[in-house]
Each structure stands twice: as C-alpha cells, then as structure tokens.
Amino acid sequence: MTVPYPETLALLERLIAFPTVSVASNLALVDFVESHLQGAGFTTHRLPSPDGTKAGLMARLGDGMGGVMLSAHSDVVPAEGQVWTRPPFALTREGDRLYGRGTTDMKGFLASMLALAERAAREGVQRPLMLAMSYDEEVGCTGIRDMLPGIRALGWQPDLCVVGEPTGMRPAIGHKGKAALLATCRGSAGHSSLAPRFVNALHLAAEFIAALRKIQQDYALSAHQDPAYDIPYSTVHAGRMQGGSALNIVPDQARIEFEIRHLPADSLSEFETRLRNEAARILAPLRAQDPAAQIEIAVTNTYPGLAIASDHPAVTRVARLCTNAQPIKVAYGTEAGYFEQLGIPTVVCGPGDMNAQGHKPDEFLTMQQLAECDGMMDRLLVELG
C-alpha cells in the first residue's frame, strides 16, 4: 500500500483537531498554519473576515512572475446531528482509511500542501509557490468573496491555480454556478372561519413552488445539456418553506428558500425574469381581492461556476501532475470560479470522493488517495524548481 508522507499525516492530525465548523471561528487554525508557513520561510498575509472572528490566509515563497497557487478552505460542515462511530475531531487510522471530519473535504489536501511548503523551503524554488486558505466555503463560498479585494491588492498572477476539492485526484474542469434565493409571499391575516375572504400566503407559496417545478421541467427538456455532469441540465430546488402562526389564522406571510445550480448557457438573469413573470401570473387573479398581496424575490447568495476548456494548457498541466489525463466535471460548487475571475487558469483536483465520503458521518480519506496527492505535490515541486 502506498502511504502519504509522515509529515502530511502529522499535519492532518493537527488540522482535524481544530473544530472549524462554519459557525465557529477558525482563528486558532489560522494561527497554526501561519506559524507553520512563516517557519518555512513563506511571506504570509492574513485577510480578516468583516466581523474579525475568522480569517483567510495568503502565503508565498519565491519571487518573480508566474508560479502556481494551491487553494484550500479551512471550514468543515458540522458533525452534530450525525451518528459517528469515531470521534469527528480526532484523526482515527484504520487500515487504509483516515477518519475525521474534513479528511476528504478538504483538510487532506490542506495537509498535503502544508507538507509541500516544508519541502519547497528546504529545496528552494525558481518560480513562486503561492498558497490560499479561505473560510466559510461551506456556507456558499462567502469567505473567498470577502477575501477578493485583499487578494487583488497583492497583485499575484500565477500561471495556474489548483483548488484541492475532492475529485479522486482527477482534473475537474467544470461545475455549475449557484444562486440561493428567498421568496416572501404576503397575503392577509384573518379568522380561519372566513378564510375565503383573505389571501392565504401559504397558498401563494404552494403555487410558487409549483412554478419552480415547472421551470425545473423546462430545464430538463432544454437543449442546453452537458452529459459530463451527473445531472446534465440546470436544477432548481426548494429547500425550506415557513409560514403561518396558528391553525385558526389565515397566514399573511410565507417564506421559501430555494436555489438554482445552472449551466453557463442558462443565465441567472433569465431565471430571475422567469420568476418575476411567474409571480405576476400567480398574483394577477388576486389583485381585486387584495391589492397588497405580493411575492417578493431576493437573491441571497451566488457563486460562479467553473468552465475551462479540456485542451487548455492548465488542464494538460494538472493532468500530468496528477497522472490522470481524463478530465471530469463535478456536481458540487467550489471557489474555483472566483480565481478564474481573477484571470488565473484554474482546475479543481484533490484527494477523496465527495459523493461517497464528503459531509457524511464517519467521513474518511484513504491513505492511497492522500499519497497520490503528495505525489502530485512532489511533481509540482520539480516543475517549480
């Protein structure tokens, strides 16, 4: 069995011990990582969150233009509410498996890139090695968005960025963009014995969800399809609906949280236009009964998709580094689109399997996958040297 470097395993053990769920601070982990990198001779730049409770970190070894950036996020999803048979915030080794929250998503890659930092410092680099560590990726890539002004101010322009989300060590060249939205349906309150006289906000919400289902059907039948994705078309999902205060009161407000994960050919603006048209259609027959009835739609978060051509030199380079020439596209979102917006060719590639291992109880990463990641880092170091 191929095994990772001992220093990678030691770093992973330290990283897993930080319970950096998105609702908590990550500053203790940032302190550890920054000290580790400064000790290896890296120049570091801490980018605090707006409220100061978290921080991102940028680090660099070497001068000159070009080079490579490696990117990881520090936060993990909660273990609370899941049934774990091993401690989530302690690394447990059993055979080829390394158990712990974040082993796959994505502290395994983070540990490997921090171990690379030590080797790069010992051996030296002719071209710069840059490291990016963000926060709040798991709640919609909000941390990297806050970090962008600070990253731009650094003026770094690497030839390649590798975002180490779990791809089974295959180069991923695409994922869908995402928008999270909130629809607030407003009707009129009244006694339930006179319910027909009032506009029921839950009824508005039910009709709006039916409209979302129709939009989803249209996307499924659209000519815009990409078979490289598990679901080859844009998807619309309603995740939560809340409304009403008591059974004998006609509810005057209901809220729907929903999302779209869209292919590049299906623009967010077109989706929003369709939503407004559907809301107007639902409300039209109710205007005479209650002119104040309303469906308000707001976008609460977005992150860009990723789309880099399969024959782009950056993709060829990552395929060579990870010894896998077959690019893929992934169902989940990443921070890669933000680096692409900075003009940096970006590919997603890292150890683990998101579908089988990520976000699950008893999350694990195989020793083999982490060793393959270390191998990619070694080949990268040869290129930079």
Side-chain angles (χ1 to χ4, degrees), residues 2 23 26 32 72 75 78 85 95 105 149 174 180 192 197 201 209 219 226 233 265 270 281 292 330 338 340 385:
T2 307
V23 296
N26 73 335
F32 168 74
D75 59 317
T85 62
D105 187 17
S192 61
R197 295 182 179 178
I209 286 179
Y219 280 137
D226 187 340
Y233 47 83
E270 291 175 355
R281 177 188 60 79
V330 294
Y338 283 110
E340 197 174 48

Side-chain angles (χ1 to χ4, degrees), residues 61-337:
L61 181 72
D63 300 316
M65 303 296 291
V68 171
M69 180 180 289
L70 303 175
S71 172
H73 61 79
S74 62
D75 59 317
V76 298
V77 296
E80 185 179 357
Q82 295 182 331
V83 179
W84 283 68
T85 62
R86 300 158 182 88
F89 296 108
L91 188 67
T92 302
R93 307 182 197 182
E94 295 181 9
D96 186 44
R97 292 186 174 188
L98 301 163
Y99 290 93
R101 174 55 87 214
T103 48
T104 281
D105 187 17
M106 58 180 299
K107 289 180 176 178
F109 182 85
L110 178 57
S112 186
M113 82 180 199
L114 294 178
L116 168 67
E118 293 181 293
R119 299 197 299 279
R122 289 195 303 266
E123 300 180 23
V125 292
Q126 297 299 314
R127 285 172 287 178
L129 171 63
M130 290 154 272
L131 308 178
M133 187 178 73
S134 68
Y135 58 93
D136 283 355
E137 188 273 347
E138 296 290 4
V139 290
C141 299
T142 59
I144 190 68
R145 189 168 62 231
D146 291 336
M147 292 170 60
L148 284 180
I151 296 174
R152 288 193 181 95
L154 293 173
W156 299 350
Q157 200 64 37
D159 300 323
L160 168 69
C161 177
V162 178
V163 176
E165 294 279 7
T167 65
M169 293 307 301
R170 293 167 292 178
I173 61 174
H175 64 73
K176 298 173 184 177
K178 177 185 171 180
L181 302 98
L182 172 67
T184 303
C185 303
R186 303 189 188 279
S188 48
H191 196 283
S192 61
S193 64
L194 302 173
R197 295 182 179 178
F198 306 99
V199 174
N200 187 318
L202 280 173
H203 292 180
L204 294 179
E207 291 194 54
F208 189 79
I209 286 179
L212 293 179
R213 295 183 65 185
K214 178 61 169 65
I215 295 172
Q216 174 65 95
Q217 290 173 355
D218 291 345
Y219 280 137
L221 298 174
S222 168
H224 299 156
Q225 304 269 327
D226 187 340
Y229 288 105
D230 292 338
I231 306 296
Y233 47 83
S234 297
T235 59
V236 180
H237 160 70
R240 184 161 65 168
M241 183 169 76
Q242 296 174 303
S245 57
L247 179 59
N248 62 347
I249 301 174
V250 177
D252 60 355
Q253 181 173 300
R255 293 158 52 94
I256 307 164
E257 295 176 58
F258 63 104
E259 69 173 25
I260 179 173
R261 295 178 183 258
H262 57 92
L263 298 172
D266 294 320
S267 74
L268 179 57
S269 61
E270 291 175 355
F271 178 63
E272 290 183 84
T273 298
R274 176 79 183 271
L275 293 175
R276 287 191 291 270
N277 290 340
E278 292 292 345
R281 177 188 60 79
I282 293 167
L283 291 167
L286 303 172
R287 288 300 185 195
Q289 181 180 2
D290 185 355
Q294 189 59 265
I295 300 176
E296 301 165 359
I297 300 166
V299 178
T300 58
N301 188 37
T302 65
Y303 61 71
L306 172 68
I308 184 169
S310 60
D311 59 354
H312 192 288
V315 177
T316 304
R317 186 177 180 184
V318 174
R320 183 173 64 249
L321 289 171
C322 69
T323 67
N324 193 318
Q326 186 60 47
I328 61 171
K329 296 183 180 180
V330 294
Y332 54 86
T334 78
E335 298 170 333

